[in-house]
Amino acid sequence: MLTERQFKILNELIERSHSYITANEISEKLQVSVRTIKSELSIIKQELEYFDFVNFTSIPSKGYKLETHDLEQFKSFIEEQKETLYQDVLGTPKD
């Protein structure tokens, strides 16, 4: 399950899906350390590696990139993750 911060990072990757984005750029936008971003990106990569509808790429000195191969499946994954996060925070299902 993704955390709220991981969703924010994922959103940055989605917004910049046409190009690479560095951990430093994400760090500045979210006001957390580069080390935190890199740790969170590692977790996001692990969460996504089981799915063939998305490709998470990282290239040293270039950054990170997210490419979706099936947008509908990816949207479904995101909604499921949001639902799980919502339930964990509030302890009840989202209506």
Side-chain angles (χ1 to χ4, degrees):
M1 179 188 83
L2 298 175
T3 65
E4 185 176 349
R5 179 169 43 218
Q6 290 163 354
F7 271 114
K8 289 178 182 178
I9 294 169
L10 195 55
N11 189 55
E12 294 299 321
L13 290 167
I14 292 166
E15 287 181 6
R16 290 275 301 270
S17 63
H18 60 282
S19 64
Y20 286 86
I21 185 169
T22 66
N24 191 50
E25 290 173 299
I26 299 170
S27 167
E28 288 175 8
K29 277 193 135 181
L30 300 183
Q31 298 295 300
V32 296
S33 71
V34 172
R35 184 179 191 140
T36 296
I37 295 298
K38 288 183 176 184
S39 294
E40 297 285 31
L41 284 166
S42 177
I43 294 167
I44 292 168
K45 185 175 183 175
Q46 288 175 7
E47 287 286 325
L48 296 177
E49 72 184 359
Y50 299 104
F51 303 103
D52 60 357
F53 54 83
V54 65
N55 187 32
F56 183 91
T57 306
S58 61
I59 298 178
S61 300
K62 195 166 186 179
Y64 303 87
K65 187 174 184 179
L66 190 71
E67 298 172 294
T68 57
H69 307 296
D70 186 329
L71 190 56
E72 290 306 313
Q73 276 191 312
F74 183 67
K75 286 179 181 179
S76 177
F77 166 77
I78 295 297
E79 287 305 314
E80 287 175 17
Q81 293 294 310
K82 284 181 182 178
E83 181 71 25
T84 303
L85 177 63
Y86 187 86
Q87 288 176 9
D88 285 351
V89 169
L90 296 180
T92 59
K94 185 178 174 184
D95 290 331

